[in-house]
Amino acid sequence: MTAAWNPERARAIIDTHRGLRGALLPILHALQDEFGYVDPAATPLLAGALNLSQADVHGVIGFYHEFRHSHPGRHVVKVCVAEACQARGAESLVEYLQTKLGIGLGGTTGDGEFTLEAVYCLGNCALGPAAQVDGRLLGRLSPARMDEVLA
Ligand code: FES
């Protein structure tokens, strides 16, 4: 369960990590862990704290696709689309999930129940297609197995 966006809490997280070398990425991860996404309002806070331009911060957030820009659904489904999983049918699994949930990759269902995301290798290559559902690693997934998991 993630907290609602809170600028005071965000400032505290930034202050905790700002002394680290290459602090921006660890801070972005910490903010996403706390709030479930990186709120656009974090950009000026980060720029000020790390002496960067807002454009630089914005560019980094946009470059790394693991950072979300809005609050995720209650359940986050991350499907591996890297090579080994693709060779084992990840593409058709993604298509199945997009149709079933009625959303594209990076989307969240209208009821806020599911967010669907692509990831690039979960370290479960021998058991592809692989996915992570709410942090739980799953392998050898088929549409039927996915239905069971999502139910
Ligand atoms: S390629 Fe999918 S888990 Fe490694």
Side-chain angles (χ1 to χ4, degrees), residues 80-86 119-131 137:
C80 176
V81 295
E83 210 172 314
C85 283
Q86 280 213 20
V119 288
Y120 297 86
C121 197
L122 292 162
N124 200 27
C125 318
L127 297 178
L137 185 60

Side-chain angles (χ1 to χ4, degrees), residues 83-105:
E83 210 172 314
C85 283
Q86 280 213 20
R88 291 168 188 263
E91 209 166 301
S92 55
L93 187 66
V94 168
E95 277 168 23
Y96 176 76
L97 285 167
Q98 287 179 322
T99 304
K100 178 184 170 77
L101 299 174
I103 52 175
L105 288 171

Side-chain angles (χ1 to χ4, degrees), residues 2-6 28-42 66-72:
T2 52
W5 167 253
N6 173 332
L28 289 171
H29 281 288
L31 291 172
Q32 182 153 296
D33 287 348
E34 178 78 9
F35 304 113
Y37 71 110
V38 179
D39 195 283
E66 70 253 44
F67 297 122
R68 298 185 195 103
H69 307 286
S70 57
H71 207 279

